[in-house]
Amino acid sequence: MMIRMPKEAQEILEKLNAHGYEAYIVGGCVRDSLLEKEPEDWDITTSAKPEEVKSVFGRTIDTGIQHGTVTIMRGKTGYEVTTYRIDGEYEDGRHPKTVEFTSNLKEDLKRRDFTINAMAYSPREGLIDIFGGVRDLQAGTIRCVGTAADRFTEDALRILRAIRFCAQLGFKIEENTWHSIKAIGPNLARVSKERVQAELTKLLVSSHPDYIKMVFSCSLESCISPGFARLIPDKIFINPKLPPLKYLRWASLLKDQSPQEAAQILKELKMDNDTMDKVKLLVKMCPLPIGLTPAQIRRAMSQMPDELFDSLLLLKRSLITCQETAAESENIQTADTIPDKTLSPLQELDQIQRTVREIRLRGDCTNLKMLAVTGNDLITHGMKPGKQLGETLKNLLNLVLEHPELNQKETLLTILKQERGGAQ
Ligand code: ATP
Ligand code: MG
């Protein structure tokens, strides 16, 4: 068994070894390598104390020095090197209140959450798998290291991590671990909402976003947030084919809510404003018809950036697919029974998509940036800066959304002149 790692990681291990310390890659990168997935980062665990790591490497960054972590930069990549440690009691933060360094690798692996995350590897010694991580990877099982109930009591976030890893890997939770999740579940209410949200987001952008339903089957919903607890699991459908964009996956989860309800849930979970605004807009626009004429479509496009509009179409498509699946399972006929000439919702969406492509190819103006006149142009032609100017630009945009051929500087300025002449 051999793991290929970046040569920088290997050099860090070798350098620590050369100074008489043990060193291994550990955790997520070992798990992902064994699954033949490209790891996101390469974490290193070592018997060297933080001060010793620093003196071996000279230039390091104190990223989590109180927990024994220093970062070594190699090019643009940071390698986190953490001293073997035994964790004390966890607080409601990312890290335990106290840590104790140890010279024993096994102790360090024991503090980790799941067997699949508790393996270490070095080219010299190969894989160190004390708790059956390989067995669980092969069986597709999430299992706590040690006594599950104790591990969830130490840090309740591990409950959501268990579900999140299931969603990322398509795994199942081992029975005893599952029972402990149900028993310790209420502790999740005391975990910071930022950490909860980060785990839910990782779950939603994974290849099995509908595993979010496990939150309900484990009765955790009311520990997430009051608004989240009002979601109805049977109505949740998130197409795994949707691009793994944070705002899009959250919008798909919240598409049956009103924009206010969706925003409330995200606020409870301390979501960033950018994501919140995007989700709110998608949730609001999703049930509204766009219309089929190029002008109607340009109007819809003008309400959001291109990327968001594409997301809206994908979201609408996934909604139709899921409604059709539901209808099929209830044996209601859909597309086939719709009279000729009427387009099915899916055909409508295809047509919209074709028109959007044409609009973009032609370069029709769909936002203020594409308008042939700017605020400065209007000022040059005698308008005063201020609210009126903004209104005028908006009116011009509305005009060219209807008549894209008018989007020429001279044409628009002439129209304005005529209007103002007429108004006087
Ligand atoms: P990802 O980076 O995709 O979130 P990961 O497994 O690398 O997955 P990290 O949060 O980066 O997860 O943590 C790195 C390692 O630290 C984990 O593999 C695990 O061994 C350990 N770990 C992280 N969080 C916890 C926790 N809450 N309890 C116990 N061990 C943890
Ligand atoms: Mg990681």
Side-chain angles (χ1 to χ4, degrees):
M1 221 287 312
M2 212 195 84
I3 291 179
R4 279 164 47 102
M5 65 180 87
K7 71 173 192 310
E8 292 82 6
Q10 190 159 342
E11 282 165 11
I12 292 170
L13 298 185
E14 282 165 5
K15 196 159 175 181
L16 284 162
N17 289 163
H19 284 77
Y21 303 112
E22 297 173 12
Y24 303 84
I25 54 167
V26 71
C29 64
V30 177
R31 176 197 69 222
D32 290 345
S33 296
L34 293 176
L35 290 168
E36 292 176 18
K37 291 187 183 195
E38 185 64 36
E40 272 182 29
D41 36 36
W42 297 83
D43 294 335
I44 291 164
T45 187
T46 180
S47 61
K49 301 290 181 287
E51 290 311 316
E52 295 169 331
V53 176
K54 288 168 122 178
S55 78
V56 167
F57 291 95
R59 281 215 326 207
T60 59
I61 305 165
D62 284 0
T63 30
I65 191 76
Q66 65 280 38
H67 305 104
T69 304
V70 299
T71 297
I72 297 169
M73 292 308 296
R74 288 290 179 265
K76 282 187 180 148
T77 311
Y79 292 87
E80 290 198 348
V81 179
T82 304
T83 304
Y84 294 165
R85 63 175 214 227
I86 301 168
D87 289 349
E89 197 191 326
Y90 271 72
E91 59 184 340
D92 180 33
R94 269 215 31 81
H95 297 289
K97 254 188 242 171
T98 55
V99 302
E100 186 191 324
F101 297 134
T102 164
S103 56
N104 187 342
L105 171 65
K106 184 174 176 183
E107 289 295 328
D108 181 83
L109 296 177
K110 245 167 77 179
R111 74 171 167 90
R112 294 172 186 273
D113 47 7
F114 307 113
T115 57
I116 60 166
N117 288 343
M119 292 180 279
Y121 174 89
S122 80
R124 285 206 306 197
E125 289 178 52
L127 187 71
I128 313 288
D129 176 18
I130 301 171
F131 306 104
V134 168
R135 169 204 62 202
D136 287 338
L137 272 185
Q138 281 168 348
T141 306
I142 300 297
R143 182 197 310 267
C144 283
V145 174
T147 309
D150 294 348
R151 307 316 309 281
F152 291 131
T153 307
E154 285 165 6
D155 178 12
L157 186 75
R158 290 172 186 158
I159 292 170
L160 275 191
R161 283 175 61 88
I163 297 175
R164 183 258 286 192
F165 284 116
C166 283
Q168 286 179 324
L169 305 171
F171 279 23
K172 292 200 169 54
I173 296 178
E174 175 268 329
E175 200 181 325
N176 184 39
T177 303
W178 172 267
H179 285 303
S180 303
I181 286 179
K182 295 198 131 187
I184 315 295
N187 287 9
L188 190 59
R190 295 204 296 266
V191 174
S192 81
K193 296 304 172 200
E194 289 87 345
R195 291 179 87 200
V196 166
Q197 187 261 107
E199 286 302 323
L200 292 178
T201 296
K202 284 183 182 181
L203 192 166
L204 288 173
V205 301
S206 74
S207 51
H208 300 89
D210 55 322
Y211 279 35
I212 191 91
K213 290 180 191 178
M214 284 173 77
V215 168
F216 296 87
S217 56
C218 294
S219 311
L220 301 171
E221 65 275 16
S222 58
C223 307
I224 306 278
S225 87
F228 192 94
R230 285 193 285 272
L231 298 178
I232 299 161
D234 285 344
K235 285 199 170 172
I236 295 174
F237 173 81
I238 307 167
N239 190 334
K241 288 194 192 125
L242 281 177
L245 299 167
K246 181 178 181 180
Y247 69 84
L248 181 51
R249 296 290 181 98
W250 273 102
S252 184
L253 175 70
L254 301 175
K255 60 187 175 302
D256 299 319
Q257 310 297 303
S258 72
Q260 292 73 24
E261 288 167 330
Q264 175 64 25
I265 292 174
L266 295 178
K267 210 169 163 177
E268 288 168 354
L269 295 175
K270 308 269 155 75
M271 184 63 84
D272 60 276
N273 286 330
D274 177 55
T275 306
M276 189 130 93
D277 291 344
K278 287 175 172 160
V279 173
K280 229 166 116 179
L281 192 58
L282 286 181
V283 167
K284 178 180 142 208
M285 299 289 287
C286 192
L288 304 177
I290 291 177
L292 290 171
T293 70
Q296 286 171 315
I297 293 170
R298 281 190 295 268
R299 194 167 295 284
M301 291 170 76
S302 74
Q303 297 180 42
M304 62 193 91
D306 278 355
E307 190 204 44
L308 207 57
F309 187 77
D310 290 334
S311 289
L312 174 65
L313 295 185
L314 289 174
L315 190 62
K316 277 178 166 287
R317 187 174 291 274
S318 82
L319 200 65
I320 295 165
T321 326
C322 118
Q323 280 162 351
E324 284 188 346
T325 319
E328 264 165 38
S329 68
E330 287 171 31
N331 222 349
I332 302 166
Q333 280 181 305
T334 51
D336 299 344
T337 55
I338 292 171
D340 287 349
K341 287 191 187 161
T342 314
L343 295 180
S344 76
L346 218 48
Q347 287 169 324
E348 271 191 26
L349 214 54
D350 286 339
Q351 184 172 329
I352 291 174
Q353 206 115 45
R354 277 194 296 275
T355 308
V356 167
R357 216 167 306 149
E358 288 163 10
I359 288 170
R360 286 184 180 153
L361 270 176
R362 275 197 307 268
D364 289 0
C365 169
T366 53
N367 58 51
L368 280 178
K369 264 191 232 144
M370 298 171 84
L371 196 64
V373 296
T374 65
N376 275 335
D377 293 334
L378 296 187
I379 292 168
T380 313
H381 286 78
M383 273 195 84
K384 294 201 174 60
K387 205 170 160 205
Q388 179 81 51
L389 186 119
E391 286 299 315
T392 305
L393 285 171
K394 252 188 232 161
N395 291 339
L396 288 177
L397 176 60
N398 278 328
L399 181 69
V400 302
L401 288 173
E402 223 43 65
H403 306 285
E405 70 282 0
L406 297 181
N407 193 31
Q408 312 271 350
K409 197 160 173 171
E410 286 311 312
T411 314
L412 292 179
L413 289 173
T414 309
I415 289 171
L416 267 188
K417 221 191 253 167
Q418 283 168 353
E419 273 186 7
R420 287 156 89 200
Q424 275 163 12

